[in-house]
Amino acid sequence: MGAAQYREGWSERGIPDTVVDRVMAFEERWGGVVLPPAPTYNGGPTLFRPDTPEAAPSDGWWFWAGDQRAAVPYSFMIGPRGEFGLGTWRWVPLHASVDGWVESVALAHHATMWAEQITKVTGDDVDALELGSYEPVPEVEGLADRWWRGTDSLIAVYTGQAEFFSRPDYRTAVIYSGLDSWGLHG
């Protein structure tokens, strides 16, 4: 029965119907989808399965996105405006939507398969990347985490954990180089 069995109880607890509708829509579209491990965030969520909505620390409501693959000090949450991000005592939206997260994980797997070379940089070295000749990859709907496409490379820039922990040295970029047209676009 999924989340639908909790609708009445959630309404009785004062959770707005519009929020309950968001959980139902998430579950209808994504509920039970098993994901491959993400290259960051200790693999990300294993599968999408919502849980009880909670008042977000800032404003609005958020809810749990699903089972975590590993023990991490945050949860994967769906934010007040449908963002996918990290939450507990603070909120860091990674992507503007669940679609963005899924696109990012898929792109990482695709780029890993086709790149001739993969280079990882961290901390201040992320700031040294010259992204002026690259174009953003709009499908990932990046907020804290973004992707960039060049003539023969893709660059993923992950800043979510750095923001969450207030640790700039946690910033990470992965450069997938030596890609042909197929490797760049799939």
Side-chain angles (χ1 to χ4, degrees), residues 30-165:
W30 297 108
V33 171
V34 177
L35 303 165
T40 56
Y41 306 103
N42 287 314
T46 302
L47 72 120
F48 286 135
R49 185 179 59 162
D51 203 346
T52 306
E54 303 170 13
S58 54
D59 65 347
W61 292 77
W62 62 359
F63 57 91
W64 192 56
D67 296 330
Q68 298 167 180
R69 196 172 297 281
V72 289
Y74 46 74
S75 295
F76 297 99
M77 306 292 284
I78 307 304
R81 286 161 288 290
E83 319 93 307
F84 180 90
L86 308 177
T88 52
W89 69 89
R90 72 185 315 173
W91 168 238
V92 176
L94 304 176
H95 300 274
S97 71
V98 176
D99 295 81
W101 169 261
V102 171
E103 289 287 343
S104 179
V105 172
L107 190 55
H109 281 272
H110 177 80
T112 299
M113 178 178 288
W114 296 104
E116 290 180 11
Q117 180 176 342
I118 300 173
T119 306
K120 180 178 175 181
V121 297
T122 59
D124 291 339
D125 292 338
V126 173
D127 293 335
L129 293 173
E130 295 290 334
L131 298 173
S133 64
Y134 287 76
E135 65 182 53
V137 177
E139 293 84 359
V140 301
E141 300 180 62
L143 297 174
D145 294 351
R146 297 173 183 253
W147 279 79
W148 302 87
R149 180 179 289 123
T151 56
D152 71 345
S153 59
L154 289 163
I155 299 176
V157 179
Y158 302 103
T159 64
Q161 289 186 103
E163 289 181 37
F164 187 83
F165 294 115

Side-chain angles (χ1 to χ4, degrees), residues 8 18 52 66 96 112 141 150 172 175:
E8 185 178 329
T18 56
T52 306
T112 299
E141 300 180 62
T172 302
I175 304 157

